[in-house]
Amino acid sequence: MAKCVAFIKGSPQAPRCKFTRALMELFSTLEVEFSYFDILSDNDVREGLKTFGEWPTYPQVWLDGELCGGLDIIKEMHENGELVTTLPVKQSLNTRLKNLISSHKVMLFMKGDRTEPRCGFSKTTVGILAEYNVDYKTFDILTDNEVRQGLKEYSEWPTYPQLYVDGELLGGLDIIREMHESGDLSDSLK
């Protein structure tokens, strides 16, 4: 995720100019995750950043150490729909889970990944999917405890692995194994 820093006059809660206020309102509406620096608190930074970024006005928005632009550029990006895909935004856990689940047609949440499953259930599931030569992505739940715990509640399925097709939960290993043995899995993976 991109690291966003806004160089502004004042603070997000107490902007000291109309341009900073407009930027903060836009960031609030879009729920942008950012840190800020009050350029009024340090004149050396204020003047130095104008030279360094070759941008004479404030506010300035920087992403991963690169100048993105001032308020006009940010507004233009917003109007073009570019801003929401460029800036880091806060997401509720459910939104994040929904986005992960829908990030690929067939999505497997497991311990480890397809090349290194970290439990027998995940290894068996990967083995079954390999028989169908299906294109799928994996998410290692051991790398993100928030996803690991949240997905159990979201899906109302208490165990892993969990297989999703077209954004819908197909099931865990028991269901996948039953469908594989009955011949129904192939149709569900299409």
Side-chain angles (χ1 to χ4, degrees):
M1 180 179 293
K3 173 82 172 142
C4 178
V5 180
F7 290 88
I8 60 177
K9 293 180 179 177
S11 70
Q13 301 77 21
R16 306 248 332 252
C17 78
K18 67 181 180 180
F19 303 109
T20 294
R21 184 175 298 106
L23 181 68
M24 294 301 97
E25 287 171 0
L26 181 59
F27 275 18
S28 177
T29 299
L30 297 176
E31 296 186 320
V32 174
E33 282 191 49
F34 70 100
S35 55
Y36 77 95
F37 183 84
D38 178 1
I39 52 109
L40 298 176
S41 68
D42 189 323
N43 197 51
D44 289 339
V45 171
R46 180 179 181 175
E47 295 305 317
L49 198 56
K50 287 180 184 179
T51 304
F52 179 75
E54 298 177 357
W55 196 268
T57 61
Y58 289 98
Q60 293 182 11
V61 177
W62 291 69
L63 293 171
D64 292 329
E66 298 288 326
L67 178 65
C68 186
L71 180 61
D72 291 344
I73 300 294
I74 298 300
K75 281 182 170 180
E76 184 178 310
M77 290 175 72
H78 176 58
E79 290 165 5
N80 294 337
E82 298 172 53
L83 201 55
V84 293
T85 59
T86 304
L87 294 179
V89 295
K90 298 173 190 170
Q91 292 182 337
S92 70
L93 180 58
N94 279 353
T95 299
R96 186 169 171 228
L97 294 173
K98 194 179 296 184
N99 289 340
L100 278 171
I101 289 165
S102 301
S103 66
H104 203 272
K105 179 177 173 37
V106 180
M107 188 71 187
L108 179 63
F109 291 84
M110 60 181 286
K111 294 179 181 175
D113 60 42
R114 75 174 80 205
T115 58
E116 287 188 48
R118 303 225 8 230
C119 78
F121 301 111
S122 293
K123 184 176 182 176
T124 301
T125 303
V126 167
I128 291 171
L129 291 175
E131 292 185 36
Y132 293 89
N133 197 29
V134 64
D135 181 32
Y136 69 98
K137 284 177 84 174
T138 63
F139 183 90
D140 182 358
I141 57 147
L142 298 176
T143 64
D144 191 323
N145 197 50
E146 185 178 45
V147 169
R148 181 180 184 175
Q149 297 306 320
L151 192 58
K152 291 178 187 181
E153 291 179 34
Y154 180 87
S155 65
E156 298 179 2
W157 196 268
T159 60
Y160 289 99
Q162 294 183 16
L163 182 65
Y164 290 79
V165 178
D166 292 323
E168 298 293 324
L169 176 65
L170 197 57
L173 175 58
D174 291 345
I175 302 293
I176 294 163
R177 184 182 287 146
E178 285 176 23
M179 293 178 77
H180 172 63
E181 291 169 357
S182 71
D184 295 332
L185 188 57
S186 181
D187 289 338
S188 296
L189 294 174
K190 291 181 180 176

